[in-house]
């Protein structure tokens, strides 16, 4: 099993309860990573905010916010402009769904021939495929461990072949492994498993 990670969270008691109530009152309800709603929001965000007239999209990645909460927070787009330069854009896709930040030139010095770049479209994200992969991962988890959410999901385009490459991580915890501290914090040991996803919904564990 890959990458044992220690995660520390502070128990806020009544303050946490108040925060949850505020989320419900204002409509800022978190969207879990492993849901149809999350995938639909990713597709709609790309359709709405990606400038397909001036860029080609070469990768998308969406991530959870706070560890082990499984709440989707940000969508990252990597793209190639007509000038052959790499650009990136961050789109807020969490509970408050604030939309995109400005497109910025990437720090990478790599350049491309725009016309020959293999790009992807929103329809290539395929929520049904993603959900099938999540179900396969949940079936993969061994006895004694609990699924705690998706850490990130990434789709990139192989520039040699145009093939879509899918990778993602799933977080799991061993039951009964949290350690309480006197400070009111809890340290949780968890494993982050990385998988390669395929278009038929199957997955392959990456050692």
């Amino acid at each position: 099993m890959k990458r044992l990670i220690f995660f520390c969270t502070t128990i806020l008691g009544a303050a946490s309860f108040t925060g949850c109530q505020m989320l419900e009152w204002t409509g800022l309800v978190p969207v879990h990573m492993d849901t149809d709603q999350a995938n639909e929001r990713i597709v709609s965000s790309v359709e709405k905010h990606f400038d397909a007239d001036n860029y080609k999209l070469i990768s998308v990645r969406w991530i959870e916010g706070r560890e082990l909460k499984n709440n989707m927070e940000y969508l990252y787009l990597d793209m190639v402009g007509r000038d052959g330069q790499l650009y990136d854009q961050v789109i807020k896709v969490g509970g408050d769904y604030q939309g995109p930040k400005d497109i910025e030139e990437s720090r990478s010095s790599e350049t491309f021939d725009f016309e020959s770049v293999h790009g992807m479209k929103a329809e290539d994200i395929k929520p049904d495929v993603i959900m099938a992969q999540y179900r396969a991962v949940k079936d993969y988890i061994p006895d004694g461990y609990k699924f705690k959410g998706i850490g990130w999901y990434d789709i990139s385009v192989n520039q040699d072949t145009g093939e879509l490459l899918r990778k993602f991580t799933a977080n799991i915890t061993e039951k009964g492994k949290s350690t309480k501290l006197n400070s009111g914090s809890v340290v949780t040991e968890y494993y982050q498993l990385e998988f390669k996803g395929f278009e038929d919904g199957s997955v392959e564990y990456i050692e």
Side-chain angles (χ1 to χ4, degrees), residues 25-80:
W25 292 337
T26 60
L28 307 186
V29 180
V31 177
H32 292 319
M33 290 279 287
D34 59 326
T35 61
D36 290 320
Q37 183 183 2
N39 295 328
E40 290 165 3
R41 183 170 292 187
I42 294 301
V43 172
S44 64
S45 295
V46 173
E47 290 175 338
K48 182 177 180 180
H49 300 300
F50 174 63
D51 180 4
D53 293 330
N54 296 299
Y55 300 90
K56 288 188 178 181
L57 186 60
I58 60 173
S59 77
V60 297
R61 171 184 285 227
W62 55 99
I63 67 171
E64 68 173 344
R66 190 175 179 183
E67 291 97 330
L68 301 186
K69 292 298 183 182
N70 197 31
N71 295 331
M72 186 170 67
E73 193 69 25
Y74 293 105
L75 167 64
Y76 296 91
L77 308 182
D78 291 327
M79 62 198 86
V80 177

Side-chain angles (χ1 to χ4, degrees), residues 4 22 26 31 33 42 69 115 117 133 140 151 182-183 191:
L4 177 62
M22 288 298 292
T26 60
V31 177
M33 290 279 287
I42 294 301
K69 292 298 183 182
E115 296 303 326
V117 168
Q133 293 169 353
Y140 176 89
N182 293 331
S183 62
Y191 294 90

